Structures are given as structure tokens and as C-alpha cells.
Amino acid sequence: EDPVGNGQEEKEKNPFAEYMWMENEEDFNRQVEEELQEQEFLDRCFQEMLEEEERDWFIPARDLPQGMAQLQQQLHGLGLADGHGSEDILSKSNLNPDAKEFVPGVKY
């Protein structure tokens, strides 16, 4: 008898107990292979989706005629005032700072 109960008695009943996992090794391998194939399929689908989106996106340099692309580059080159000239613009302004906010379609 095994008073400690460390499993020696069970091993004596079945000397191949530690190798029983090999009984289902083929099923396990098949399952893992299916999972890997499914993951590969999902990766391919995702990559195709990204490529399809990229084709459908509007890319000005690619999709606009050459003259339009140059015009767009010029527009991007224009910037807003850097803040130094804004005081000058405000001093010359004749807008009423206390006026109500303009809302299109609303009559005052």
C-alpha cells in the first residue's frame, strides 16, 4: 500500500499512463493544423481587404490629373498666419465684437 498517495499505485495499474497522451496525438495534430490553416486564411483575407481599401482610397497624387495635383500642392503650401500679423488684422477690422453669432438660415 502507498500511505503517502503519491500515485505509485496508479502507475502500477497502468505502466503506460504517462504515454496515454500519444493515443490522441493524430487528432491533436489535425486540430492544430486546422487552426493554423484557419489563421492563415484569415490573414490572407485581412491582407486582401487592406489592399482593396487602398485601391479604393482617394490619393490625390495618384488620382488627380497632373495640373490638379500641382494646384493642390500649392494650396497645401499656403498656410494661415503664424500669429504675428493677427494683431494688425484685428486693429484694422470693423467687425462688432459684441454681435450675435451668425447662424445660417436664422433671421435676426
Side-chain angles (χ1 to χ4, degrees):
E1 254 185 279
D2 188 12
V4 179
N6 62 6
Q8 290 293 332
E9 188 176 316
E10 184 178 317
K11 284 185 181 177
E12 289 173 11
K13 288 181 183 177
N14 187 355
F16 301 105
E18 65 183 85
Y19 301 106
M20 291 305 292
W21 65 270
M22 291 181 177
E23 179 181 14
N24 298 325
E25 182 179 12
E26 292 167 359
D27 291 337
F28 177 78
N29 288 344
R30 184 177 37 77
Q31 180 183 359
V32 169
E33 190 172 319
E34 286 175 2
E35 289 174 6
L36 290 173
Q37 288 174 348
E38 182 178 342
Q39 183 62 40
E40 183 181 328
F41 175 74
L42 290 175
D43 290 344
R44 278 196 319 250
C45 288
F46 187 72
Q47 186 62 37
E48 287 177 18
M49 182 187 69
L50 288 176
E51 290 171 1
E52 185 176 311
E53 277 186 357
E54 197 171 288
R55 281 193 306 268
D56 292 341
W57 284 348
F58 176 74
I59 301 172
R62 179 191 71 192
D63 299 334
L64 288 177
Q66 185 60 31
M68 291 294 289
Q70 289 175 351
L71 179 61
Q72 186 178 25
Q73 286 177 346
Q74 290 173 352
L75 286 174
H76 282 297
L78 298 176
L80 297 175
D82 57 2
H84 298 297
S86 61
E87 293 85 16
D88 187 40
I89 293 172
L90 291 175
S91 66
K92 295 180 182 178
S93 172
N94 58 3
L95 296 175
N96 180 0
D98 298 322
K100 292 182 180 180
E101 181 179 349
F102 173 73
V103 180
V106 175
K107 294 183 181 180
Y108 295 101

